[in-house]
């Protein structure tokens, strides 16, 4: 910048982006002084180097402001997890669905895992039926981001909130007081009693230029 530029001539760009042309460094510095601006090298590897007339202090300030605004608007994606059993009872189902609704309302994605044990592994349709029911009941809050698919002994579905996190109205209190519920993954349900032997069924288908100082 200014006297730090070590070259005999430069390709000069005016403050409004207009092309001035190739001029000597002395003339470029004089033009900068005449309009009370800085001569800033913006393309040092060009031949000759490209320099621009600008208010460097103002440029740095505006760049910092834009960077801060960008960080504020950045969304941090959080994925919560909720585990269910294929034979979960109605009360536990409603409780866990309530947690899922709360996560979605807060703008977080939710990974819903159906855990199969023992003979339940031969009945994947039970998990799929439960996930389909849940997806339908929360359809006003979420969209299915990853359809239900078998993953070893588990079946997994990921849902995402319809409204972006930054647009969520967190009426009724913040996240304090809810961390106790979110601190650990949902506990497993009590092991289900074995069913009578059943025919094994096929597994479900997986479904501005940057100035150089």
């Amino acid at each position: 910048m200014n006297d730090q530029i070590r070259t005999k001539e430069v390709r000069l760009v005016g403050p409004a982006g207009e092309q001035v042309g190739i001029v000597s460094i002395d003339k470029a510095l004089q033009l900068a002084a005449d309009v009370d601006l800085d001569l800033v090298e913006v393309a040092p590897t060009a031949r000759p180097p490209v320099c621009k007339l600008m208010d460097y202090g103002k440029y740095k300030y505006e760049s910092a402001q834009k960077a801060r605004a960008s960080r504020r608007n950045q969304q941090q994606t959080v994925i919560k997890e909720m585990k269910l059993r294929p034979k979960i009872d109605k009360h536990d189902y409603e409780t866990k669905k309530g947690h899922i609704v709360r996560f979605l309302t807060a703008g977080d994605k939710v990974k819903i895992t159906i855990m199969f044990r023992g003979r339940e592994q031969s009945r994947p349709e039970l998990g799929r039926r439960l996930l389909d029911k849940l997806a339908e009941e929360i359809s006003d809050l979420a969209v299915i981001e990853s359809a239900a698919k078998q993953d070893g002994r588990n079946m997994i579905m990921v849902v995402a909130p319809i409204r972006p996190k930054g647009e969520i109205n967190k009426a009724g209190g913040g996240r304090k007081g809810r961390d106790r519920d979110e601190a650990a993954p949902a506990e497993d349900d009590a092991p289900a009693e074995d069913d009578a032997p059943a025919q094994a069924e096929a597994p479900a288908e997986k479904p501005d230029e940057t100035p150089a100082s």
Side-chain angles (χ1 to χ4, degrees):
M1 184 172 67
N2 298 328
D3 293 334
Q4 297 173 336
I5 300 173
R6 298 287 184 262
T7 185
K8 292 183 179 180
E9 59 183 16
V10 299
R11 185 178 296 277
L12 187 62
V13 178
E18 68 276 16
Q19 297 291 329
V20 178
I22 298 176
V23 300
S24 68
I25 185 63
D26 292 335
K27 182 177 181 180
L29 288 170
Q30 184 58 54
L31 289 172
D34 290 345
V35 293
D36 195 23
L37 293 174
D38 297 301
L39 181 66
V40 180
E41 192 176 58
V42 295
T45 59
R47 292 292 177 266
V50 179
C51 293
K52 185 174 182 179
L53 298 175
M54 66 171 71
D55 184 335
Y56 191 66
K58 181 180 179 181
Y59 170 82
K60 293 290 286 183
Y61 173 77
E62 291 178 346
S63 295
Q65 290 289 88
K66 289 178 181 178
R68 280 195 291 269
S70 177
R71 285 193 296 270
R72 281 197 301 268
N73 294 332
Q74 223 170 15
Q75 305 281 331
Q76 182 176 5
T77 301
V78 177
I79 299 182
K80 302 291 186 179
E81 182 173 20
M82 187 59 63
K83 297 181 179 180
L84 298 83
R85 295 292 307 283
K87 294 184 178 180
I88 186 171
D89 65 46
K90 183 176 181 180
H91 173 75
D92 286 344
Y93 172 81
E94 292 298 331
T95 299
K96 294 192 175 186
K97 185 179 77 171
H99 291 321
I100 293 170
V101 168
R102 177 160 49 81
F103 294 150
L104 293 168
T105 303
D108 298 324
K109 296 181 182 181
V110 186
K111 174 184 176 183
I112 304 167
T113 302
I114 305 295
M115 302 179 300
F116 297 94
R117 290 179 180 173
R119 296 179 183 178
E120 294 173 347
Q121 295 179 62
S122 66
R123 304 290 303 280
E125 76 279 1
L126 296 178
R128 184 175 295 276
R129 192 178 303 139
L130 182 60
L131 290 176
D132 289 344
K133 173 186 176 184
L134 181 57
E136 182 178 354
E137 293 179 357
I138 61 174
S139 60
D140 58 332
L141 294 174
V143 293
I144 299 175
E145 185 173 271
S146 178
K149 62 181 180 181
Q150 197 79 24
D151 182 15
R153 295 186 176 184
N154 300 327
M155 183 174 287
I156 296 171
M157 178 177 74
V158 178
V159 295
I162 292 176
R163 297 171 60 191
K165 192 164 189 172
E167 298 179 9
I168 297 294
N169 179 12
K170 296 183 180 180
R175 302 184 66 82
K176 291 184 179 179
R178 304 196 307 226
D179 294 339
R180 292 190 300 273
D181 296 331
E182 301 173 8
E187 68 281 359
D188 297 350
D189 296 293
E193 296 180 0
D194 288 346
D195 293 336
Q199 293 264 344
E201 297 182 17
E205 294 182 0
K206 295 189 176 182
D208 311 306
E209 298 173 337
T210 303
S213 302

